[in-house]
Amino acid sequence: IAHWLQSTKGFKVGVVTSVPFSHATPAAAYAHNVGREDYQDIARDMLGFASIAHRNQPLPGMDVVIGCGWGEETSKPSGQGDNFVPGNRYLAANVHHQLAVASGGKYVIAERTPGQPGKELLERAAEVAAKSDQRLFGFFGTRGGHLPYATANGDYRPVQDTRDAESYSAADIDENPTLASMTRAALNVLGSSQNGFWLMVEAGDVDWANHSNNLDNSIGAVLAGDEACQANFDWIDANQVWQESLVIITADHGHYFNLVQPEVIAAAGKEKPQPPEAK
């Protein structure tokens, strides 16, 4: 549908996700590939570069791509094709270097930068892209290639799951935007379209939390998705375009959650906090 709207209706199209931008769901929104783990080649399709599936006539590319995968380096092309480039698992270095408008590319880029608040960085890039009618590429993330889990109570301190408990530095939290702020940035750029736009927003990390049976992270991811939904509603309200808008909310990752010992969680909720000297 993104291809059809882009090519026949002149729509702008975009994706926003809390997991790597070329991961399964955003990839399926636009790219063509026989393997979901061929991340770099999927990214080529999404960003309008020649790929295995489109050697001679690349896809036009999406107008907005905001997601994660920043800092995920590898020299092993597990699941990827012969055109894999050592470096970032999700975005080949030679593609990255050609994206920016300053390098002759089509995208205003906002990516995680040490010491720079991610939300503000992305907002500024979106403003520039909207005013200059350019595309927007946002590249963020922490360990594992996703946004930090805010968790159920929003303290960014995930409990241990089937792997281990993730921990985040102050920089991990500050240098990354939230899913809601990503959504607002995308709407700022796509909303300038005279013909309409199509946007897919994914709270993709709820899937990862559920696979790990991590209730804390799962609830936090659902809340992050709810805030992103509200960002959409706020934009529609502000622009008074409900009569022209269609919002579909679906449980893309509404699969199993295997809670084996609910009594453990119930008991933990009744525990009284210990004074600091007793810990």
Side-chain angles (χ1 to χ4, degrees):
I1 191 170
H3 289 166
W4 177 74
L5 289 170
Q6 184 183 55
S7 61
T8 67
K9 301 295 182 180
F11 274 38
K12 290 187 176 183
V13 295
V15 290
V16 170
T17 180
S18 56
V19 299
F21 76 92
S22 55
H23 210 262
T25 301
Y30 197 81
H32 301 162
N33 201 292
V34 297
R36 60 175 285 174
E37 294 182 350
D38 196 6
Y39 300 120
Q40 287 187 358
D41 218 42
I42 288 169
R44 292 183 180 97
D45 275 354
M46 296 175 71
L47 297 168
F49 287 79
S51 66
I52 292 298
H54 303 95
R55 292 183 178 89
N56 300 320
Q57 188 174 358
L59 294 178
M62 308 192 84
D63 298 281
V64 171
V65 177
I66 307 175
C68 299
W70 181 91
E72 291 295 294
E73 305 293 311
T74 183
S75 59
K76 298 180 180 180
S78 176
Q80 304 212 41
D82 292 339
N83 58 352
F84 171 81
V85 178
N88 187 275
R89 183 186 304 274
Y90 303 100
L91 180 64
N94 56 345
V95 172
H96 194 176
H97 294 157
Q98 299 177 64
L99 279 177
V101 173
S103 302
K106 299 179 179 179
Y107 291 86
V108 177
I109 297 178
E111 61 183 308
R112 182 174 175 179
T113 304
Q116 297 292 317
K119 177 178 179 291
E120 296 175 11
L121 198 68
L122 184 58
E123 285 176 348
R124 290 196 298 269
E127 287 292 337
V128 171
K131 289 180 180 179
S132 58
D133 196 28
Q134 303 285 355
R135 294 177 170 185
L136 177 64
F137 177 66
F139 199 28
F140 296 93
T142 186
R143 191 193 75 169
H146 58 88
L147 291 181
Y149 280 109
T151 63
N153 65 358
D155 67 0
Y156 288 96
R157 297 174 60 188
V159 298
Q160 184 172 346
D161 56 32
T162 54
R163 294 185 296 270
D164 58 6
E166 294 190 12
S167 61
Y168 311 122
S169 66
D172 287 329
I173 298 169
D174 186 57
E175 292 169 6
N176 282 296
T178 63
L179 187 65
S181 57
M182 287 176 163
T183 303
R184 284 189 286 269
L187 290 167
N188 190 3
V189 177
L190 296 174
S192 65
S193 173
Q194 298 300 310
N195 300 315
F197 65 86
W198 178 92
L199 173 65
M200 190 283 296
V201 179
E202 178 199 30
D205 47 1
V206 69
D207 178 48
W208 299 11
N210 285 355
H211 278 298
S212 297
N213 288 328
N214 191 316
L215 183 61
D216 197 19
N217 287 352
S218 184
I219 292 173
V222 170
L223 294 175
D226 185 58
E227 291 172 358
C229 284
Q230 188 62 52
N232 277 288
F233 299 150
D234 290 344
W235 185 91
I236 296 172
D237 283 337
N239 289 276
Q240 299 181 356
V241 289
W242 273 110
Q243 294 300 317
E244 305 168 44
S245 302
L246 171 65
V247 179
I248 300 173
I249 303 173
T250 180
D252 178 33
H253 295 305
H255 58 67
Y256 70 91
F257 187 96
N258 188 17
L259 188 58
V260 180
Q261 293 179 291
E263 67 276 8
V264 175
I265 294 177
K270 296 177 182 178
E271 291 179 0
K272 294 181 179 180
Q274 296 177 324
E277 63 272 13
K279 292 184 179 179

